[in-house]
Amino acid sequence: MEVSLFHNPKAGDGDWPADKLVRLLEMSGFAPVHCSTRSKELEQALENPHDLVVIAGGDGAVAEIVRALHGRGHTVVILPTGSSNNIARALGIVEEPRHIVAGLAKAKRTPLRIGVVEGPEWSRNFVEAVGMGPLVTAIEQGAAGGKEHGSDLVGERRDELRRIVADCEPLEVSLTVDGKRLDEKMLMLEVMNLPMIGPNLLLAPEADPGDAHLDVAWLPAAKRRSMLAWLKDPEARGSPLQRKKAERVELHPQGGSLHVDDTVVEGGEATLTIRIEPKPVIVLTPGDDE
């Protein structure tokens, strides 16, 4: 069976190069057609991929390919080889690629919903989150620093985010959640499709990437110290962010920047609408062992 293999060679510590992934898939009876997510041929390869698409990489690569496939009827296999792997974790995919491929015969079809943020002149799909505040600064600084992978990256990004939170100013935004105005001075805002974003930060534990709801998470300005303490050890206890389920969010960024997944964009002066798209992408996830 021919499959399309999209692979980020820079993900994680580089333990899964293209030839190793190709051999792994071939040993399980697949005939992979490989394309690097950093290749000039990526756009062309995404025009007509095989029905089964294998994505090997971290959240950036997975989100990029999933967004491109949305609404086209393909089935996706995620082989998480990145540093954070938030998308795979949200779907219960935590094993190494060899175990995931070996279990595909028993895998179940799991929906992954896609979000969309729309303005009067543009719209963008997202898999993880749309947000304003410290994560925007962290993404910009990470891009400037150039480091994208490595086993120590999660810890370094948490440390950097902590420094950003310590100095950040309250956001100048207007926010409406399902028609109700949210008036609170906040340092951080994330409209999330996943429970976890960034360097494995569990900001919305109740978020389900398969349902039709978003989870709005925000950090009240009065809880800066609590956030700084939490970022030292996020696994020890729940985050200090407030949370609210939503079907529709209206955000007026008042000219500020926001991130859509891992891309920073200018928010502009118009109100943006954030919601979940009706059609999911189907991902093969671990099935029952029995």
Side-chain angles (χ1 to χ4, degrees):
M1 177 183 180
E2 286 193 332
V3 302
S4 293
L5 169 61
F6 295 100
H7 167 237
N8 180 5
K10 297 292 186 179
D13 288 315
D15 294 335
W16 288 94
D19 57 348
K20 188 175 180 180
L21 288 165
V22 168
R23 287 197 302 271
L24 175 64
L25 289 165
E26 289 175 341
M27 289 172 61
S28 293
F30 297 102
V33 178
H34 170 263
C35 180
S36 169
T37 60
R38 294 168 177 263
S39 168
K40 295 180 180 179
E41 285 74 41
L42 177 61
E43 185 175 349
Q44 181 178 351
L46 282 169
E47 289 181 359
N48 189 30
H50 296 88
D51 291 339
L52 183 62
V53 174
V54 180
I55 311 170
D59 291 315
V62 173
E64 179 181 13
I65 304 303
V66 165
R67 290 192 302 262
L69 297 178
H70 173 245
R72 297 169 59 186
H74 297 82
T75 301
V76 172
V77 175
I78 298 174
L79 304 181
T81 62
S83 300
S84 296
N85 302 315
N86 293 321
I87 301 171
R89 288 171 183 263
L91 295 167
I93 305 170
V94 296
E95 295 182 310
E96 285 197 351
R98 60 172 61 88
H99 300 302
I100 296 169
V101 172
L104 287 178
K106 296 181 179 180
K108 58 185 179 182
R109 296 170 60 84
T110 300
L112 170 61
R113 303 298 284 265
I114 307 299
V116 59
V117 52
E118 300 170 302
E121 298 182 355
W122 58 270
S123 68
R124 288 176 179 263
N125 285 115
F126 65 94
V127 180
E128 297 183 79
V130 172
M132 297 185 69
L135 279 176
V136 173
T137 305
I139 291 170
E140 291 176 330
Q141 292 184 358
K147 186 172 182 181
E148 302 176 13
H149 55 92
S151 57
D152 57 348
L153 192 56
V154 168
E156 290 180 7
R157 283 180 171 170
R158 288 178 177 178
D159 290 341
E160 181 59 30
L161 185 62
R162 192 168 180 273
R163 290 189 286 270
I164 294 169
V165 170
D167 296 328
C168 69
E169 297 293 331
L171 297 172
E172 298 289 339
V173 299
S174 174
L175 185 67
T176 302
V177 179
D178 289 338
K180 296 182 179 180
R181 181 76 175 266
L182 181 61
D183 289 313
E184 185 168 2
K185 186 174 289 187
M186 60 185 74
L187 300 177
M188 178 179 185
L189 170 67
E190 294 294 332
V191 182
M192 301 177 62
N193 186 40
L194 304 182
M196 185 179 288
I197 60 173
N200 291 153
L201 298 177
L202 187 62
L203 301 185
E206 302 86 2
D208 181 352
D211 68 15
H213 293 87
L214 296 160
D215 282 66
V216 183
W218 69 96
L219 178 66
K223 292 196 173 185
R224 187 193 303 265
R225 285 191 176 184
S226 297
M227 186 66 173
L228 293 175
W230 181 72
L231 284 170
K232 287 184 177 180
D233 188 6
E235 285 76 27
R237 57 188 181 277
S239 85
L241 273 73
Q242 302 294 305
R243 300 183 296 274
K244 189 177 183 67
K245 288 281 184 184
E247 293 185 0
R248 179 185 176 93
V249 176
E250 293 181 354
L251 172 65
H252 192 312
Q254 299 186 22
S257 297
L258 64 149
H259 75 86
V260 182
D261 283 341
D262 59 358
T263 299
V264 174
V265 299
E266 294 301 320
E269 296 295 340
T271 297
L272 306 175
T273 300
I274 308 171
R275 59 176 176 81
I276 294 293
E277 296 272 30
K279 290 186 178 181
V281 172
I282 300 301
V283 181
L284 297 184
T285 62
D288 297 329
D289 293 332
E290 298 180 1

Coordinates of all heavy atoms in Angstrom, one line a residue, residues 196-252:
M196 N -3.0 21.1 25.8 CA -1.6 21.5 26.0 C -1.0 22.2 24.8 O -1.2 21.8 23.7 CB -0.8 20.2 26.3 CG 0.6 20.4 26.7 SD 1.4 18.8 27.0 CE 0.6 18.3 28.6
I197 N -0.3 23.3 25.1 CA 0.4 24.0 24.0 C 1.8 24.4 24.4 O 2.2 24.2 25.6 CB -0.4 25.3 23.6 CG1 -0.6 26.3 24.7 CG2 -1.7 24.9 23.0 CD1 -1.2 27.6 24.3
G198 N 2.5 25.0 23.5 CA 3.9 25.5 23.8 C 4.8 24.4 24.4 O 4.7 23.2 23.9
P199 N 5.6 24.7 25.3 CA 6.5 23.7 25.9 C 5.8 22.8 26.9 O 6.1 22.8 28.1 CB 7.7 24.5 26.5 CG 7.0 25.8 26.9 CD 5.9 26.0 25.9
N200 N 4.9 22.0 26.4 CA 4.1 21.0 27.2 C 3.4 21.7 28.4 O 3.5 21.2 29.5 CB 5.0 19.9 27.7 CG 5.4 18.9 26.6 OD1 6.5 18.3 26.7 ND2 4.7 18.8 25.5
L201 N 2.7 22.8 28.1 CA 2.0 23.5 29.2 C 0.5 23.1 29.1 O -0.2 23.4 28.2 CB 2.2 25.0 29.0 CG 3.6 25.6 29.1 CD1 3.6 27.0 28.8 CD2 4.2 25.2 30.4
L202 N 0.1 22.5 30.2 CA -1.3 22.0 30.3 C -2.2 23.2 30.8 O -2.4 23.3 32.0 CB -1.4 20.8 31.2 CG -2.7 20.1 31.3 CD1 -3.1 19.5 30.0 CD2 -2.7 19.0 32.4
L203 N -2.7 23.9 29.9 CA -3.4 25.1 30.2 C -4.9 24.9 30.2 O -5.7 25.6 30.9 CB -3.1 26.3 29.2 CG -1.7 26.7 29.1 CD1 -1.6 27.9 28.1 CD2 -1.1 27.1 30.4
A204 N -5.4 23.9 29.5 CA -6.8 23.6 29.4 C -7.1 22.1 29.5 O -7.3 21.4 28.5 CB -7.4 24.2 28.2
P205 N -7.0 21.5 30.7 CA -7.1 20.0 30.8 C -8.3 19.4 30.3 O -8.3 18.3 29.8 CB -7.0 19.8 32.3 CG -6.4 21.0 32.9 CD -6.8 22.2 32.0
E206 N -9.4 20.2 30.2 CA -10.7 19.6 29.7 C -10.9 19.7 28.2 O -11.8 19.2 27.7 CB -11.9 20.4 30.4 CG -11.9 20.3 31.9 CD -11.0 21.4 32.5 OE1 -10.5 22.3 31.8 OE2 -10.9 21.5 33.8
A207 N -9.9 20.4 27.6 CA -10.1 20.5 26.1 C -10.0 19.2 25.4 O -9.2 18.3 25.7 CB -9.0 21.5 25.6
D208 N -10.9 19.0 24.4 CA -11.0 17.8 23.6 C -10.8 18.2 22.2 O -11.7 18.8 21.6 CB -12.4 17.1 23.9 CG -12.5 15.8 23.1 OD1 -11.7 15.5 22.3 OD2 -13.6 15.1 23.3
P209 N -9.8 17.7 21.5 CA -9.5 18.1 20.1 C -10.5 17.4 19.2 O -10.5 17.7 18.0 CB -8.1 17.6 19.9 CG -7.9 16.5 20.8 CD -8.7 16.9 22.1
G210 N -11.4 16.6 19.7 CA -12.4 15.9 18.8 C -13.8 16.5 18.9 O -14.7 16.1 18.1
D211 N -14.0 17.5 19.8 CA -15.3 18.0 20.0 C -15.4 19.4 19.2 O -14.5 19.8 18.6 CB -15.7 18.2 21.4 CG -15.0 19.2 22.2 OD1 -14.3 20.1 21.6 OD2 -15.0 19.2 23.4
A212 N -16.6 20.0 19.3 CA -16.9 21.2 18.6 C -16.7 22.5 19.4 O -17.3 23.5 19.1 CB -18.3 21.2 18.0
H213 N -16.0 22.3 20.5 CA -15.8 23.5 21.4 C -14.3 23.9 21.5 O -13.4 23.1 21.3 CB -16.2 23.1 22.8 CG -17.7 22.9 23.0 ND1 -18.3 21.6 22.7 CD2 -18.7 23.7 23.3 CE1 -19.6 21.7 22.9 NE2 -19.9 23.0 23.2
L214 N -14.2 25.2 21.8 CA -12.9 25.8 22.1 C -12.8 25.9 23.6 O -13.8 25.9 24.3 CB -12.8 27.2 21.5 CG -12.8 27.2 19.9 CD1 -13.1 28.6 19.5 CD2 -11.4 26.8 19.4
D215 N -11.6 26.1 24.1 CA -11.4 26.3 25.5 C -10.6 27.7 25.6 O -9.5 27.7 25.2 CB -10.6 25.2 26.2 CG -11.5 24.0 26.5 OD1 -12.0 23.4 25.6 OD2 -11.7 23.7 27.7
V216 N -11.3 28.7 26.2 CA -10.7 30.0 26.4 C -9.9 29.9 27.7 O -10.5 29.7 28.8 CB -11.7 31.1 26.4 CG1 -11.0 32.4 26.5 CG2 -12.5 31.0 25.1
A217 N -8.6 30.2 27.7 CA -7.8 30.2 29.0 C -7.1 31.6 29.0 O -6.5 32.0 28.1 CB -6.8 29.1 28.9
W218 N -7.2 32.2 30.2 CA -6.6 33.5 30.4 C -6.0 33.6 31.8 O -6.4 33.0 32.7 CB -7.6 34.6 30.1 CG -8.7 34.8 31.2 CD1 -8.7 35.6 32.2 CD2 -9.9 34.1 31.2 NE1 -9.8 35.5 33.0 CE2 -10.6 34.5 32.4 CE3 -10.5 33.1 30.4 CZ2 -11.9 34.0 32.7 CZ3 -11.8 32.6 30.8 CH2 -12.4 33.1 31.9
L219 N -4.9 34.4 31.8 CA -4.2 34.7 33.1 C -4.6 36.0 33.6 O -4.2 37.1 33.0 CB -2.7 34.6 32.8 CG -1.8 34.9 34.1 CD1 -2.0 33.8 35.1 CD2 -0.3 35.0 33.7
P220 N -5.3 36.1 34.7 CA -5.6 37.4 35.3 C -4.4 38.1 35.7 O -3.4 37.5 36.2 CB -6.5 37.0 36.5 CG -7.1 35.7 36.2 CD -6.0 35.0 35.4
A221 N -4.4 39.4 35.6 CA -3.2 40.2 35.9 C -2.8 40.0 37.4 O -1.6 40.1 37.7 CB -3.4 41.7 35.6
A222 N -3.7 39.7 38.2 CA -3.4 39.5 39.6 C -2.7 38.2 40.0 O -2.3 38.0 41.1 CB -4.7 39.6 40.5
K223 N -2.6 37.3 39.0 CA -2.0 36.0 39.2 C -0.7 35.8 38.6 O -0.2 34.7 38.3 CB -3.0 34.9 38.7 CG -4.3 34.8 39.6 CD -5.0 33.6 39.4 CE -6.2 33.4 40.3 NZ -6.9 32.1 40.2
R224 N 0.0 36.9 38.3 CA 1.4 36.9 37.7 C 2.3 36.0 38.6 O 3.0 35.1 38.1 CB 2.0 38.3 37.6 CG 3.3 38.2 36.8 CD 4.0 39.6 36.9 NE 3.3 40.7 36.5 CZ 3.3 41.3 35.3 NH1 4.1 40.8 34.4 NH2 2.6 42.3 35.0
R225 N 2.3 36.2 39.9 CA 3.2 35.4 40.8 C 2.9 34.0 40.8 O 3.8 33.1 40.8 CB 3.2 36.0 42.2 CG 3.9 37.3 42.4 CD 4.0 37.6 43.9 NE 4.8 38.8 44.1 CZ 5.1 39.3 45.3 NH1 4.7 38.6 46.4 NH2 5.8 40.4 45.5
S226 N 1.6 33.7 40.7 CA 1.2 32.3 40.7 C 1.7 31.6 39.4 O 2.1 30.4 39.4 CB -0.3 32.1 40.8 OG -0.8 32.6 42.0
M227 N 1.6 32.3 38.3 CA 2.1 31.8 37.0 C 3.6 31.6 37.0 O 4.1 30.5 36.5 CB 1.7 32.8 35.9 CG 2.0 32.2 34.5 SD 0.9 30.8 34.1 CE 1.4 30.6 32.4
L228 N 4.3 32.5 37.6 CA 5.8 32.3 37.7 C 6.1 31.1 38.5 O 7.0 30.4 38.1 CB 6.4 33.6 38.3 CG 6.3 34.9 37.4 CD1 6.8 36.1 38.2 CD2 7.0 34.7 36.1
A229 N 5.4 30.9 39.6 CA 5.7 29.7 40.4 C 5.3 28.4 39.7 O 6.1 27.4 39.7 CB 4.9 29.8 41.7
W230 N 4.2 28.5 39.0 CA 3.8 27.3 38.2 C 4.7 26.9 37.1 O 5.0 25.7 36.9 CB 2.4 27.5 37.7 CG 1.8 26.4 36.9 CD1 1.4 25.2 37.4 CD2 1.7 26.3 35.5 NE1 0.9 24.3 36.4 CE2 1.1 25.0 35.2 CE3 1.9 27.1 34.4 CZ2 0.8 24.6 33.9 CZ3 1.6 26.7 33.1 CH2 1.1 25.4 32.9
L231 N 5.3 27.9 36.4 CA 6.2 27.6 35.3 C 7.5 26.9 35.8 O 8.2 26.3 35.0 CB 6.5 28.9 34.6 CG 5.4 29.4 33.6 CD1 5.7 30.8 33.1 CD2 5.2 28.4 32.5
K232 N 7.8 27.0 37.1 CA 9.0 26.3 37.6 C 8.8 24.8 37.5 O 9.7 24.0 37.3 CB 9.3 26.7 39.0 CG 9.9 28.1 39.1 CD 10.2 28.4 40.6 CE 10.9 29.8 40.7 NZ 11.2 30.0 42.1
D233 N 7.5 24.3 37.7 CA 7.2 22.9 37.7 C 5.7 22.7 37.4 O 4.9 22.4 38.2 CB 7.5 22.3 39.1 CG 7.4 20.8 39.2 OD1 7.2 20.2 38.1 OD2 7.4 20.2 40.3
P234 N 5.4 22.8 36.1 CA 4.0 22.7 35.6 C 3.4 21.4 35.9 O 2.1 21.3 35.9 CB 4.1 23.0 34.1 CG 5.4 23.7 33.9 CD 6.3 23.1 35.0
E235 N 4.1 20.3 36.1 CA 3.5 19.0 36.3 C 3.1 18.8 37.8 O 2.3 17.9 38.1 CB 4.5 17.9 36.0 CG 4.7 17.7 34.5 CD 5.6 18.7 33.8 OE1 6.4 19.3 34.5 OE2 5.4 19.0 32.6
A236 N 3.5 19.7 38.7 CA 3.2 19.5 40.1 C 1.8 19.9 40.4 O 1.2 19.3 41.4 CB 4.2 20.4 40.9
R237 N 1.2 20.8 39.7 CA -0.2 21.2 40.0 C -0.8 21.9 38.8 O -0.1 22.2 37.9 CB -0.2 22.2 41.3 CG 0.7 23.4 41.1 CD 0.8 24.2 42.4 NE 1.6 25.4 42.2 CZ 2.9 25.5 42.3 NH1 3.6 24.4 42.5 NH2 3.5 26.6 42.2
G238 N -2.1 22.3 39.0 CA -2.8 22.9 37.9 C -2.4 24.3 37.7 O -1.9 25.0 38.6
S239 N -2.5 24.8 36.4 CA -2.1 26.2 36.1 C -3.1 27.2 36.7 O -4.2 26.9 37.0 CB -2.1 26.4 34.6 OG -3.4 26.7 34.1
P240 N -2.6 28.4 36.9 CA -3.5 29.5 37.5 C -4.4 30.1 36.5 O -5.1 31.1 36.9 CB -2.4 30.4 38.1 CG -1.3 30.3 37.2 CD -1.2 28.9 36.8
L241 N -4.4 29.7 35.3 CA -5.2 30.3 34.3 C -6.7 30.0 34.5 O -7.1 28.9 35.0 CB -4.9 29.9 32.9 CG -3.8 30.7 32.2 CD1 -2.4 30.3 32.8 CD2 -3.7 30.4 30.7
Q242 N -7.6 31.0 34.3 CA -9.0 30.8 34.3 C -9.4 30.2 32.9 O -8.8 30.4 31.9 CB -9.7 32.1 34.5 CG -9.3 32.8 35.8 CD -9.8 32.1 37.0 OE1 -11.0 31.7 37.2 NE2 -8.8 31.8 37.9
R243 N -10.5 29.4 32.9 CA -10.9 28.7 31.7 C -12.4 28.8 31.5 O -13.2 28.8 32.5 CB -10.5 27.3 31.8 CG -9.0 27.1 31.9 CD -8.6 25.6 31.9 NE -9.1 24.8 33.0 CZ -8.5 24.7 34.2 NH1 -7.4 25.4 34.4 NH2 -9.0 24.0 35.1
K244 N -12.8 28.7 30.2 CA -14.2 28.8 29.9 C -14.4 28.1 28.6 O -13.7 28.3 27.6 CB -14.7 30.2 29.8 CG -16.2 30.4 29.7 CD -16.6 31.9 29.7 CE -18.1 32.1 29.6 NZ -18.7 31.6 30.9
K245 N -15.4 27.2 28.5 CA -15.8 26.5 27.2 C -16.4 27.5 26.3 O -17.2 28.4 26.7 CB -16.7 25.3 27.4 CG -16.1 24.1 28.1 CD -15.3 23.3 27.1 CE -14.7 22.0 27.7 NZ -13.9 21.3 26.7
A246 N -16.3 27.3 25.0 CA -16.9 28.3 24.0 C -17.1 27.6 22.7 O -16.3 26.7 22.3 CB -16.0 29.5 23.9
E247 N -18.1 28.1 22.0 CA -18.4 27.7 20.6 C -17.9 28.8 19.7 O -17.5 28.5 18.5 CB -19.9 27.4 20.4 CG -20.4 26.1 21.1 CD -21.8 25.8 20.8 OE1 -22.4 26.6 20.0 OE2 -22.3 24.8 21.3
R248 N -17.9 30.0 20.1 CA -17.6 31.1 19.3 C -16.9 32.2 20.1 O -17.5 32.6 21.2 CB -18.8 31.7 18.6 CG -18.6 32.9 17.7 CD -19.9 33.4 17.2 NE -19.8 34.6 16.4 CZ -19.7 34.6 15.0 NH1 -19.7 33.5 14.4 NH2 -19.6 35.7 14.4
V249 N -15.8 32.7 19.7 CA -15.1 33.7 20.4 C -14.9 34.9 19.5 O -14.5 34.7 18.3 CB -13.7 33.2 20.9 CG1 -12.9 34.3 21.5 CG2 -13.9 32.1 21.9
E250 N -15.2 36.1 19.9 CA -14.9 37.3 19.2 C -13.8 38.1 19.9 O -13.9 38.4 21.1 CB -16.1 38.1 19.0 CG -17.2 37.4 18.2 CD -18.5 38.3 18.0 OE1 -18.5 39.4 18.6 OE2 -19.3 37.9 17.2
L251 N -12.7 38.3 19.2 CA -11.5 39.0 19.7 C -11.2 40.2 19.0 O -11.0 40.2 17.7 CB -10.3 38.0 19.7 CG -9.0 38.5 20.0 CD1 -8.9 39.0 21.5 CD2 -7.9 37.5 19.8
H252 N -11.1 41.3 19.7 CA -10.6 42.6 19.1 C -9.2 42.8 19.6 O -9.1 43.3 20.8 CB -11.6 43.7 19.4 CG -11.3 45.0 18.6 ND1 -10.0 45.5 18.4 CD2 -12.1 45.8 17.9 CE1 -10.1 46.6 17.7 NE2 -11.4 46.8 17.4

